[in-house]
Amino acid sequence: MNAATSISITSPAFESGGDIPAKSTCNGANGNPPLHISGVPKETKSLVLIVDDPDAPRGLFTHWITWNIDPKTTEVAENSAPASAIQGMNDFGKRNYGGPCPPSGTHRYFFKIFALDTKLELKPNARRAELDSAIHGHVLAQGELMARYSHK
């Protein structure tokens, strides 16, 4: 793996380091923001998307995991999962995007994209630890977008 290889993940809804719009949080519609993906290596077999919050009171909190995303995917539309991808179990105990809802203060949210050299054989109810284990040794490139949110 070439550690210098990176994928770009951006959102037209917020700048990197900026604030996630309230409509993409528990204070709004709680649907995922739109995301754009570029720079995927041509040998990629699938993509993985992870959204997490390292500032949660009990440690890393996973808001969304989805895998086996078609490597030709260049965008994830607002309020929708990538077509034909599998969504795993987030830390809310649901198989979908769960928006930011910090108990206090401002938290950081990382939207992470991984290009893999394989498709994953995980059950749809898989959790983050299983996904992390499954992608180990298969990452061709990765990228991330960080945004912030304070509960209103």
PDB file of all heavy atoms in Angstrom, residues 49-90:
ATOM      1  N   LEU A  49     -17.364   3.743   3.611  1.00  0.00           N
ATOM      2  CA  LEU A  49     -17.590   5.061   4.191  1.00  0.00           C
ATOM      3  C   LEU A  49     -17.882   4.900   5.671  1.00  0.00           C
ATOM      4  O   LEU A  49     -18.723   4.080   6.055  1.00  0.00           O
ATOM      5  CB  LEU A  49     -18.772   5.742   3.488  1.00  0.00           C
ATOM      6  CG  LEU A  49     -19.203   7.104   4.012  1.00  0.00           C
ATOM      7  CD1 LEU A  49     -18.105   8.150   3.848  1.00  0.00           C
ATOM      8  CD2 LEU A  49     -20.483   7.554   3.312  1.00  0.00           C
ATOM      9  N   ILE A  50     -17.155   5.668   6.487  1.00  0.00           N
ATOM     10  CA  ILE A  50     -17.339   5.643   7.940  1.00  0.00           C
ATOM     11  C   ILE A  50     -17.504   7.087   8.409  1.00  0.00           C
ATOM     12  O   ILE A  50     -16.740   7.964   7.995  1.00  0.00           O
ATOM     13  CB  ILE A  50     -16.118   5.013   8.651  1.00  0.00           C
ATOM     14  CG1 ILE A  50     -15.941   3.551   8.240  1.00  0.00           C
ATOM     15  CG2 ILE A  50     -16.237   5.159  10.165  1.00  0.00           C
ATOM     16  CD1 ILE A  50     -14.653   2.901   8.755  1.00  0.00           C
ATOM     17  N   VAL A  51     -18.485   7.326   9.267  1.00  0.00           N
ATOM     18  CA  VAL A  51     -18.646   8.639   9.891  1.00  0.00           C
ATOM     19  C   VAL A  51     -18.572   8.411  11.395  1.00  0.00           C
ATOM     20  O   VAL A  51     -19.328   7.601  11.947  1.00  0.00           O
ATOM     21  CB  VAL A  51     -19.989   9.303   9.516  1.00  0.00           C
ATOM     22  CG1 VAL A  51     -20.112  10.669  10.193  1.00  0.00           C
ATOM     23  CG2 VAL A  51     -20.119   9.436   8.003  1.00  0.00           C
ATOM     24  N   ASP A  52     -17.635   9.113  12.047  1.00  0.00           N
ATOM     25  CA  ASP A  52     -17.501   8.925  13.487  1.00  0.00           C
ATOM     26  C   ASP A  52     -17.151  10.218  14.218  1.00  0.00           C
ATOM     27  O   ASP A  52     -16.808  11.225  13.609  1.00  0.00           O
ATOM     28  CB  ASP A  52     -16.510   7.817  13.816  1.00  0.00           C
ATOM     29  CG  ASP A  52     -15.102   8.038  13.294  1.00  0.00           C
ATOM     30  OD1 ASP A  52     -14.671   9.200  13.133  1.00  0.00           O
ATOM     31  OD2 ASP A  52     -14.402   7.041  13.051  1.00  0.00           O
ATOM     32  N   ASP A  53     -17.299  10.154  15.535  1.00  0.00           N
ATOM     33  CA  ASP A  53     -17.072  11.274  16.450  1.00  0.00           C
ATOM     34  C   ASP A  53     -16.081  10.823  17.522  1.00  0.00           C
ATOM     35  O   ASP A  53     -16.445  10.044  18.398  1.00  0.00           O
ATOM     36  CB  ASP A  53     -18.412  11.675  17.082  1.00  0.00           C
ATOM     37  CG  ASP A  53     -18.292  12.653  18.250  1.00  0.00           C
ATOM     38  OD1 ASP A  53     -17.192  13.182  18.505  1.00  0.00           O
ATOM     39  OD2 ASP A  53     -19.315  12.894  18.911  1.00  0.00           O
ATOM     40  N   PRO A  54     -14.820  11.315  17.455  1.00  0.00           N
ATOM     41  CA  PRO A  54     -13.840  10.918  18.468  1.00  0.00           C
ATOM     42  C   PRO A  54     -14.007  11.668  19.797  1.00  0.00           C
ATOM     43  O   PRO A  54     -13.351  11.334  20.775  1.00  0.00           O
ATOM     44  CB  PRO A  54     -12.506  11.280  17.811  1.00  0.00           C
ATOM     45  CG  PRO A  54     -12.837  12.451  16.942  1.00  0.00           C
ATOM     46  CD  PRO A  54     -14.236  12.180  16.431  1.00  0.00           C
ATOM     47  N   ASP A  55     -14.892  12.670  19.838  1.00  0.00           N
ATOM     48  CA  ASP A  55     -15.051  13.498  21.032  1.00  0.00           C
ATOM     49  C   ASP A  55     -16.205  13.060  21.930  1.00  0.00           C
ATOM     50  O   ASP A  55     -16.528  13.737  22.902  1.00  0.00           O
ATOM     51  CB  ASP A  55     -15.254  14.964  20.621  1.00  0.00           C
ATOM     52  CG  ASP A  55     -14.100  15.473  19.767  1.00  0.00           C
ATOM     53  OD1 ASP A  55     -12.942  15.122  20.066  1.00  0.00           O
ATOM     54  OD2 ASP A  55     -14.361  16.200  18.789  1.00  0.00           O
ATOM     55  N   ALA A  56     -16.839  11.945  21.605  1.00  0.00           N
ATOM     56  CA  ALA A  56     -17.962  11.456  22.409  1.00  0.00           C
ATOM     57  C   ALA A  56     -17.490  11.124  23.824  1.00  0.00           C
ATOM     58  O   ALA A  56     -16.337  10.726  24.027  1.00  0.00           O
ATOM     59  CB  ALA A  56     -18.575  10.225  21.748  1.00  0.00           C
ATOM     60  N   PRO A  57     -18.368  11.305  24.825  1.00  0.00           N
ATOM     61  CA  PRO A  57     -17.970  11.083  26.227  1.00  0.00           C
ATOM     62  C   PRO A  57     -17.364   9.712  26.510  1.00  0.00           C
ATOM     63  O   PRO A  57     -16.446   9.595  27.302  1.00  0.00           O
ATOM     64  CB  PRO A  57     -19.278  11.262  27.008  1.00  0.00           C
ATOM     65  CG  PRO A  57     -20.132  12.119  26.136  1.00  0.00           C
ATOM     66  CD  PRO A  57     -19.745  11.779  24.711  1.00  0.00           C
ATOM     67  N   ARG A  58     -17.855   8.646  25.834  1.00  0.00           N
ATOM     68  CA  ARG A  58     -17.329   7.297  26.077  1.00  0.00           C
ATOM     69  C   ARG A  58     -16.284   6.882  25.058  1.00  0.00           C
ATOM     70  O   ARG A  58     -15.971   5.711  24.929  1.00  0.00           O
ATOM     71  CB  ARG A  58     -18.471   6.293  26.081  1.00  0.00           C
ATOM     72  CG  ARG A  58     -19.378   6.461  27.288  1.00  0.00           C
ATOM     73  CD  ARG A  58     -20.320   5.273  27.416  1.00  0.00           C
ATOM     74  NE  ARG A  58     -21.530   5.724  28.067  1.00  0.00           N
ATOM     75  CZ  ARG A  58     -22.738   5.726  27.534  1.00  0.00           C
ATOM     76  NH1 ARG A  58     -22.921   5.273  26.317  1.00  0.00           N
ATOM     77  NH2 ARG A  58     -23.772   6.154  28.198  1.00  0.00           N
ATOM     78  N   GLY A  59     -15.778   7.825  24.282  1.00  0.00           N
ATOM     79  CA  GLY A  59     -14.785   7.499  23.262  1.00  0.00           C
ATOM     80  C   GLY A  59     -15.410   7.505  21.880  1.00  0.00           C
ATOM     81  O   GLY A  59     -16.527   7.976  21.689  1.00  0.00           O
ATOM     82  N   LEU A  60     -14.692   6.959  20.910  1.00  0.00           N
ATOM     83  CA  LEU A  60     -15.119   6.985  19.513  1.00  0.00           C
ATOM     84  C   LEU A  60     -16.556   6.476  19.344  1.00  0.00           C
ATOM     85  O   LEU A  60     -16.883   5.372  19.767  1.00  0.00           O
ATOM     86  CB  LEU A  60     -14.165   6.130  18.671  1.00  0.00           C
ATOM     87  CG  LEU A  60     -14.353   6.213  17.161  1.00  0.00           C
ATOM     88  CD1 LEU A  60     -13.965   7.597  16.656  1.00  0.00           C
ATOM     89  CD2 LEU A  60     -13.504   5.157  16.484  1.00  0.00           C
ATOM     90  N   PHE A  61     -17.406   7.306  18.712  1.00  0.00           N
ATOM     91  CA  PHE A  61     -18.806   6.963  18.477  1.00  0.00           C
ATOM     92  C   PHE A  61     -19.032   6.914  16.976  1.00  0.00           C
ATOM     93  O   PHE A  61     -18.753   7.886  16.267  1.00  0.00           O
ATOM     94  CB  PHE A  61     -19.717   8.026  19.116  1.00  0.00           C
ATOM     95  CG  PHE A  61     -21.174   7.634  19.153  1.00  0.00           C
ATOM     96  CD1 PHE A  61     -21.698   7.008  20.266  1.00  0.00           C
ATOM     97  CD2 PHE A  61     -22.007   7.895  18.083  1.00  0.00           C
ATOM     98  CE1 PHE A  61     -23.042   6.636  20.308  1.00  0.00           C
ATOM     99  CE2 PHE A  61     -23.349   7.538  18.103  1.00  0.00           C
ATOM    100  CZ  PHE A  61     -23.869   6.905  19.225  1.00  0.00           C
ATOM    101  N   THR A  62     -19.520   5.769  16.484  1.00  0.00           N
ATOM    102  CA  THR A  62     -19.733   5.576  15.056  1.00  0.00           C
ATOM    103  C   THR A  62     -21.155   5.974  14.671  1.00  0.00           C
ATOM    104  O   THR A  62     -22.125   5.428  15.192  1.00  0.00           O
ATOM    105  CB  THR A  62     -19.454   4.112  14.668  1.00  0.00           C
ATOM    106  OG1 THR A  62     -18.095   3.816  15.003  1.00  0.00           O
ATOM    107  CG2 THR A  62     -19.662   3.888  13.179  1.00  0.00           C
ATOM    108  N   HIS A  63     -21.266   6.926  13.728  1.00  0.00           N
ATOM    109  CA  HIS A  63     -22.556   7.428  13.266  1.00  0.00           C
ATOM    110  C   HIS A  63     -23.053   6.723  12.010  1.00  0.00           C
ATOM    111  O   HIS A  63     -24.251   6.714  11.748  1.00  0.00           O
ATOM    112  CB  HIS A  63     -22.469   8.933  12.992  1.00  0.00           C
ATOM    113  CG  HIS A  63     -22.415   9.732  14.250  1.00  0.00           C
ATOM    114  ND1 HIS A  63     -23.517  10.347  14.782  1.00  0.00           N
ATOM    115  CD2 HIS A  63     -21.400   9.986  15.113  1.00  0.00           C
ATOM    116  CE1 HIS A  63     -23.185  10.972  15.903  1.00  0.00           C
ATOM    117  NE2 HIS A  63     -21.906  10.751  16.123  1.00  0.00           N
ATOM    118  N   TRP A  64     -22.131   6.165  11.220  1.00  0.00           N
ATOM    119  CA  TRP A  64     -22.550   5.515   9.974  1.00  0.00           C
ATOM    120  C   TRP A  64     -21.405   4.665   9.462  1.00  0.00           C
ATOM    121  O   TRP A  64     -20.251   5.100   9.435  1.00  0.00           O
ATOM    122  CB  TRP A  64     -22.885   6.575   8.926  1.00  0.00           C
ATOM    123  CG  TRP A  64     -23.685   6.144   7.744  1.00  0.00           C
ATOM    124  CD1 TRP A  64     -24.473   5.038   7.605  1.00  0.00           C
ATOM    125  CD2 TRP A  64     -23.802   6.861   6.505  1.00  0.00           C
ATOM    126  NE1 TRP A  64     -25.071   5.030   6.363  1.00  0.00           N
ATOM    127  CE2 TRP A  64     -24.685   6.140   5.673  1.00  0.00           C
ATOM    128  CE3 TRP A  64     -23.257   8.055   6.023  1.00  0.00           C
ATOM    129  CZ2 TRP A  64     -25.021   6.559   4.396  1.00  0.00           C
ATOM    130  CZ3 TRP A  64     -23.592   8.462   4.751  1.00  0.00           C
ATOM    131  CH2 TRP A  64     -24.472   7.729   3.948  1.00  0.00           C
ATOM    132  N   ILE A  65     -21.713   3.437   9.057  1.00  0.00           N
ATOM    133  CA  ILE A  65     -20.748   2.601   8.331  1.00  0.00           C
ATOM    134  C   ILE A  65     -21.478   1.985   7.145  1.00  0.00           C
ATOM    135  O   ILE A  65     -22.598   1.492   7.272  1.00  0.00           O
ATOM    136  CB  ILE A  65     -20.083   1.507   9.200  1.00  0.00           C
ATOM    137  CG1 ILE A  65     -21.101   0.592   9.884  1.00  0.00           C
ATOM    138  CG2 ILE A  65     -19.130   2.127  10.214  1.00  0.00           C
ATOM    139  CD1 ILE A  65     -20.492  -0.601  10.622  1.00  0.00           C
ATOM    140  N   THR A  66     -20.844   2.073   6.009  1.00  0.00           N
ATOM    141  CA  THR A  66     -21.407   1.451   4.809  1.00  0.00           C
ATOM    142  C   THR A  66     -20.255   0.949   3.942  1.00  0.00           C
ATOM    143  O   THR A  66     -19.220   1.601   3.843  1.00  0.00           O
ATOM    144  CB  THR A  66     -22.373   2.414   4.070  1.00  0.00           C
ATOM    145  OG1 THR A  66     -22.947   1.758   2.949  1.00  0.00           O
ATOM    146  CG2 THR A  66     -21.716   3.687   3.644  1.00  0.00           C
ATOM    147  N   TRP A  67     -20.426  -0.233   3.371  1.00  0.00           N
ATOM    148  CA  TRP A  67     -19.335  -0.855   2.611  1.00  0.00           C
ATOM    149  C   TRP A  67     -19.853  -1.465   1.318  1.00  0.00           C
ATOM    150  O   TRP A  67     -21.043  -1.485   1.066  1.00  0.00           O
ATOM    151  CB  TRP A  67     -18.589  -1.884   3.463  1.00  0.00           C
ATOM    152  CG  TRP A  67     -19.426  -3.021   3.953  1.00  0.00           C
ATOM    153  CD1 TRP A  67     -19.688  -4.192   3.301  1.00  0.00           C
ATOM    154  CD2 TRP A  67     -20.122  -3.097   5.194  1.00  0.00           C
ATOM    155  NE1 TRP A  67     -20.498  -4.994   4.059  1.00  0.00           N
ATOM    156  CE2 TRP A  67     -20.783  -4.348   5.230  1.00  0.00           C
ATOM    157  CE3 TRP A  67     -20.250  -2.249   6.282  1.00  0.00           C
ATOM    158  CZ2 TRP A  67     -21.551  -4.763   6.314  1.00  0.00           C
ATOM    159  CZ3 TRP A  67     -21.016  -2.648   7.356  1.00  0.00           C
ATOM    160  CH2 TRP A  67     -21.657  -3.890   7.365  1.00  0.00           C
ATOM    161  N   ASN A  68     -18.887  -1.971   0.532  1.00  0.00           N
ATOM    162  CA  ASN A  68     -19.161  -2.515  -0.808  1.00  0.00           C
ATOM    163  C   ASN A  68     -19.833  -1.463  -1.694  1.00  0.00           C
ATOM    164  O   ASN A  68     -20.696  -1.779  -2.519  1.00  0.00           O
ATOM    165  CB  ASN A  68     -19.968  -3.816  -0.755  1.00  0.00           C
ATOM    166  CG  ASN A  68     -19.127  -4.966  -0.219  1.00  0.00           C
ATOM    167  OD1 ASN A  68     -17.907  -4.837  -0.058  1.00  0.00           O
ATOM    168  ND2 ASN A  68     -19.762  -6.083   0.066  1.00  0.00           N
ATOM    169  N   ILE A  69     -19.413  -0.212  -1.513  1.00  0.00           N
ATOM    170  CA  ILE A  69     -19.862   0.877  -2.367  1.00  0.00           C
ATOM    171  C   ILE A  69     -19.145   0.712  -3.714  1.00  0.00           C
ATOM    172  O   ILE A  69     -17.942   0.454  -3.751  1.00  0.00           O
ATOM    173  CB  ILE A  69     -19.512   2.250  -1.746  1.00  0.00           C
ATOM    174  CG1 ILE A  69     -20.158   2.387  -0.363  1.00  0.00           C
ATOM    175  CG2 ILE A  69     -19.912   3.395  -2.671  1.00  0.00           C
ATOM    176  CD1 ILE A  69     -19.622   3.566   0.453  1.00  0.00           C
ATOM    177  N   ASP A  70     -19.884   0.858  -4.791  1.00  0.00           N
ATOM    178  CA  ASP A  70     -19.305   0.755  -6.138  1.00  0.00           C
ATOM    179  C   ASP A  70     -18.159   1.761  -6.273  1.00  0.00           C
ATOM    180  O   ASP A  70     -18.332   2.939  -5.962  1.00  0.00           O
ATOM    181  CB  ASP A  70     -20.396   1.055  -7.168  1.00  0.00           C
ATOM    182  CG  ASP A  70     -19.935   0.835  -8.598  1.00  0.00           C
ATOM    183  OD1 ASP A  70     -18.802   1.235  -8.956  1.00  0.00           O
ATOM    184  OD2 ASP A  70     -20.729   0.283  -9.378  1.00  0.00           O
ATOM    185  N   PRO A  71     -16.974   1.313  -6.716  1.00  0.00           N
ATOM    186  CA  PRO A  71     -15.834   2.226  -6.820  1.00  0.00           C
ATOM    187  C   PRO A  71     -16.023   3.358  -7.838  1.00  0.00           C
ATOM    188  O   PRO A  71     -15.290   4.331  -7.813  1.00  0.00           O
ATOM    189  CB  PRO A  71     -14.661   1.324  -7.206  1.00  0.00           C
ATOM    190  CG  PRO A  71     -15.269   0.070  -7.707  1.00  0.00           C
ATOM    191  CD  PRO A  71     -16.618  -0.061  -7.089  1.00  0.00           C
ATOM    192  N   LYS A  72     -17.031   3.232  -8.702  1.00  0.00           N
ATOM    193  CA  LYS A  72     -17.316   4.314  -9.661  1.00  0.00           C
ATOM    194  C   LYS A  72     -18.169   5.421  -9.037  1.00  0.00           C
ATOM    195  O   LYS A  72     -18.450   6.427  -9.680  1.00  0.00           O
ATOM    196  CB  LYS A  72     -18.024   3.748 -10.895  1.00  0.00           C
ATOM    197  CG  LYS A  72     -17.146   2.808 -11.710  1.00  0.00           C
ATOM    198  CD  LYS A  72     -17.899   2.296 -12.930  1.00  0.00           C
ATOM    199  CE  LYS A  72     -17.107   1.276 -13.686  1.00  0.00           C
ATOM    200  NZ  LYS A  72     -17.174  -0.070 -13.151  1.00  0.00           N
ATOM    201  N   THR A  73     -18.588   5.230  -7.790  1.00  0.00           N
ATOM    202  CA  THR A  73     -19.422   6.221  -7.102  1.00  0.00           C
ATOM    203  C   THR A  73     -18.651   7.520  -6.927  1.00  0.00           C
ATOM    204  O   THR A  73     -17.537   7.524  -6.409  1.00  0.00           O
ATOM    205  CB  THR A  73     -19.864   5.681  -5.721  1.00  0.00           C
ATOM    206  OG1 THR A  73     -20.599   4.474  -5.922  1.00  0.00           O
ATOM    207  CG2 THR A  73     -20.710   6.691  -4.961  1.00  0.00           C
ATOM    208  N   THR A  74     -19.245   8.614  -7.366  1.00  0.00           N
ATOM    209  CA  THR A  74     -18.614   9.935  -7.212  1.00  0.00           C
ATOM    210  C   THR A  74     -19.400  10.829  -6.271  1.00  0.00           C
ATOM    211  O   THR A  74     -18.907  11.867  -5.852  1.00  0.00           O
ATOM    212  CB  THR A  74     -18.463  10.650  -8.565  1.00  0.00           C
ATOM    213  OG1 THR A  74     -19.755  10.771  -9.166  1.00  0.00           O
ATOM    214  CG2 THR A  74     -17.516   9.889  -9.487  1.00  0.00           C
ATOM    215  N   GLU A  75     -20.635  10.422  -5.951  1.00  0.00           N
ATOM    216  CA  GLU A  75     -21.377  11.198  -4.965  1.00  0.00           C
ATOM    217  C   GLU A  75     -22.365  10.333  -4.213  1.00  0.00           C
ATOM    218  O   GLU A  75     -22.839   9.313  -4.707  1.00  0.00           O
ATOM    219  CB  GLU A  75     -22.084  12.390  -5.601  1.00  0.00           C
ATOM    220  CG  GLU A  75     -23.264  12.072  -6.469  1.00  0.00           C
ATOM    221  CD  GLU A  75     -23.939  13.337  -6.982  1.00  0.00           C
ATOM    222  OE1 GLU A  75     -24.577  14.046  -6.192  1.00  0.00           O
ATOM    223  OE2 GLU A  75     -23.802  13.601  -8.180  1.00  0.00           O
ATOM    224  N   VAL A  76     -22.613  10.753  -2.978  1.00  0.00           N
ATOM    225  CA  VAL A  76     -23.642  10.165  -2.144  1.00  0.00           C
ATOM    226  C   VAL A  76     -24.641  11.301  -1.943  1.00  0.00           C
ATOM    227  O   VAL A  76     -24.298  12.341  -1.381  1.00  0.00           O
ATOM    228  CB  VAL A  76     -23.075   9.682  -0.788  1.00  0.00           C
ATOM    229  CG1 VAL A  76     -24.188   9.141   0.096  1.00  0.00           C
ATOM    230  CG2 VAL A  76     -21.989   8.626  -1.003  1.00  0.00           C
ATOM    231  N   ALA A  77     -25.839  11.110  -2.448  1.00  0.00           N
ATOM    232  CA  ALA A  77     -26.839  12.175  -2.370  1.00  0.00           C
ATOM    233  C   ALA A  77     -27.291  12.408  -0.929  1.00  0.00           C
ATOM    234  O   ALA A  77     -27.196  11.513  -0.079  1.00  0.00           O
ATOM    235  CB  ALA A  77     -28.043  11.817  -3.243  1.00  0.00           C
ATOM    236  N   GLU A  78     -27.771  13.610  -0.687  1.00  0.00           N
ATOM    237  CA  GLU A  78     -28.287  13.960   0.631  1.00  0.00           C
ATOM    238  C   GLU A  78     -29.428  13.013   1.001  1.00  0.00           C
ATOM    239  O   GLU A  78     -30.229  12.624   0.145  1.00  0.00           O
ATOM    240  CB  GLU A  78     -28.796  15.402   0.578  1.00  0.00           C
ATOM    241  CG  GLU A  78     -29.224  15.950   1.911  1.00  0.00           C
ATOM    242  CD  GLU A  78     -29.515  17.438   1.826  1.00  0.00           C
ATOM    243  OE1 GLU A  78     -30.087  17.899   0.811  1.00  0.00           O
ATOM    244  OE2 GLU A  78     -29.168  18.141   2.775  1.00  0.00           O
ATOM    245  N   ASN A  79     -29.452  12.602   2.263  1.00  0.00           N
ATOM    246  CA  ASN A  79     -30.506  11.728   2.799  1.00  0.00           C
ATOM    247  C   ASN A  79     -30.626  10.395   2.071  1.00  0.00           C
ATOM    248  O   ASN A  79     -31.719   9.872   1.900  1.00  0.00           O
ATOM    249  CB  ASN A  79     -31.869  12.431   2.777  1.00  0.00           C
ATOM    250  CG  ASN A  79     -31.884  13.671   3.635  1.00  0.00           C
ATOM    251  OD1 ASN A  79     -31.211  13.736   4.650  1.00  0.00           O
ATOM    252  ND2 ASN A  79     -32.625  14.661   3.212  1.00  0.00           N
ATOM    253  N   SER A  80     -29.498   9.842   1.617  1.00  0.00           N
ATOM    254  CA  SER A  80     -29.561   8.545   0.940  1.00  0.00           C
ATOM    255  C   SER A  80     -28.263   7.764   1.126  1.00  0.00           C
ATOM    256  O   SER A  80     -27.199   8.347   1.255  1.00  0.00           O
ATOM    257  CB  SER A  80     -29.831   8.732  -0.552  1.00  0.00           C
ATOM    258  OG  SER A  80     -28.713   9.294  -1.172  1.00  0.00           O
ATOM    259  N   ALA A  81     -28.403   6.456   1.122  1.00  0.00           N
ATOM    260  CA  ALA A  81     -27.230   5.588   1.185  1.00  0.00           C
ATOM    261  C   ALA A  81     -26.740   5.342  -0.236  1.00  0.00           C
ATOM    262  O   ALA A  81     -27.517   5.420  -1.183  1.00  0.00           O
ATOM    263  CB  ALA A  81     -27.601   4.273   1.850  1.00  0.00           C
ATOM    264  N   PRO A  82     -25.450   5.034  -0.396  1.00  0.00           N
ATOM    265  CA  PRO A  82     -24.939   4.710  -1.729  1.00  0.00           C
ATOM    266  C   PRO A  82     -25.696   3.505  -2.304  1.00  0.00           C
ATOM    267  O   PRO A  82     -25.964   2.541  -1.589  1.00  0.00           O
ATOM    268  CB  PRO A  82     -23.470   4.369  -1.484  1.00  0.00           C
ATOM    269  CG  PRO A  82     -23.133   5.001  -0.179  1.00  0.00           C
ATOM    270  CD  PRO A  82     -24.398   4.991   0.632  1.00  0.00           C
ATOM    271  N   ALA A  83     -26.040   3.577  -3.582  1.00  0.00           N
ATOM    272  CA  ALA A  83     -26.776   2.496  -4.245  1.00  0.00           C
ATOM    273  C   ALA A  83     -26.035   1.171  -4.110  1.00  0.00           C
ATOM    274  O   ALA A  83     -24.822   1.116  -4.272  1.00  0.00           O
ATOM    275  CB  ALA A  83     -26.977   2.838  -5.718  1.00  0.00           C
ATOM    276  N   SER A  84     -26.735   0.125  -3.786  1.00  0.00           N
ATOM    277  CA  SER A  84     -26.270  -1.259  -3.654  1.00  0.00           C
ATOM    278  C   SER A  84     -25.222  -1.497  -2.569  1.00  0.00           C
ATOM    279  O   SER A  84     -24.697  -2.594  -2.430  1.00  0.00           O
ATOM    280  CB  SER A  84     -25.769  -1.816  -4.997  1.00  0.00           C
ATOM    281  OG  SER A  84     -24.509  -1.276  -5.334  1.00  0.00           O
ATOM    282  N   ALA A  85     -24.908  -0.483  -1.778  1.00  0.00           N
ATOM    283  CA  ALA A  85     -23.963  -0.664  -0.667  1.00  0.00           C
ATOM    284  C   ALA A  85     -24.687  -1.301   0.516  1.00  0.00           C
ATOM    285  O   ALA A  85     -25.909  -1.286   0.599  1.00  0.00           O
ATOM    286  CB  ALA A  85     -23.375   0.684  -0.260  1.00  0.00           C
ATOM    287  N   ILE A  86     -23.909  -1.850   1.436  1.00  0.00           N
ATOM    288  CA  ILE A  86     -24.453  -2.448   2.653  1.00  0.00           C
ATOM    289  C   ILE A  86     -24.185  -1.489   3.808  1.00  0.00           C
ATOM    290  O   ILE A  86     -23.061  -1.022   3.987  1.00  0.00           O
ATOM    291  CB  ILE A  86     -23.811  -3.820   2.932  1.00  0.00           C
ATOM    292  CG1 ILE A  86     -24.112  -4.768   1.778  1.00  0.00           C
ATOM    293  CG2 ILE A  86     -24.311  -4.388   4.260  1.00  0.00           C
ATOM    294  CD1 ILE A  86     -23.333  -6.063   1.821  1.00  0.00           C
ATOM    295  N   GLN A  87     -25.225  -1.205   4.581  1.00  0.00           N
ATOM    296  CA  GLN A  87     -25.065  -0.359   5.763  1.00  0.00           C
ATOM    297  C   GLN A  87     -24.986  -1.255   6.991  1.00  0.00           C
ATOM    298  O   GLN A  87     -25.819  -2.145   7.173  1.00  0.00           O
ATOM    299  CB  GLN A  87     -26.249   0.603   5.912  1.00  0.00           C
ATOM    300  CG  GLN A  87     -26.342   1.599   4.765  1.00  0.00           C
ATOM    301  CD  GLN A  87     -27.448   2.599   5.004  1.00  0.00           C
ATOM    302  OE1 GLN A  87     -27.258   3.586   5.708  1.00  0.00           O
ATOM    303  NE2 GLN A  87     -28.602   2.350   4.415  1.00  0.00           N
ATOM    304  N   GLY A  88     -23.989  -1.000   7.819  1.00  0.00           N
ATOM    305  CA  GLY A  88     -23.833  -1.767   9.046  1.00  0.00           C
ATOM    306  C   GLY A  88     -24.469  -1.053  10.224  1.00  0.00           C
ATOM    307  O   GLY A  88     -25.113  -0.020  10.079  1.00  0.00           O
ATOM    308  N   MET A  89     -24.271  -1.615  11.400  1.00  0.00           N
ATOM    309  CA  MET A  89     -24.875  -1.121  12.627  1.00  0.00           C
ATOM    310  C   MET A  89     -24.046   0.033  13.200  1.00  0.00           C
ATOM    311  O   MET A  89     -22.853  -0.118  13.447  1.00  0.00           O
ATOM    312  CB  MET A  89     -24.942  -2.266  13.637  1.00  0.00           C
ATOM    313  CG  MET A  89     -25.860  -2.021  14.781  1.00  0.00           C
ATOM    314  SD  MET A  89     -27.604  -2.006  14.321  1.00  0.00           S
ATOM    315  CE  MET A  89     -27.893  -3.718  13.917  1.00  0.00           C
ATOM    316  N   ASN A  90     -24.689   1.181  13.399  1.00  0.00           N
ATOM    317  CA  ASN A  90     -23.998   2.305  14.025  1.00  0.00           C
ATOM    318  C   ASN A  90     -24.123   2.208  15.546  1.00  0.00           C
ATOM    319  O   ASN A  90     -24.762   1.281  16.072  1.00  0.00           O
ATOM    320  CB  ASN A  90     -24.511   3.652  13.473  1.00  0.00           C
ATOM    321  CG  ASN A  90     -25.964   3.918  13.798  1.00  0.00           C
ATOM    322  OD1 ASN A  90     -26.523   3.432  14.782  1.00  0.00           O
ATOM    323  ND2 ASN A  90     -26.601   4.724  12.953  1.00  0.00           N
TER     324      ASN A  90
END
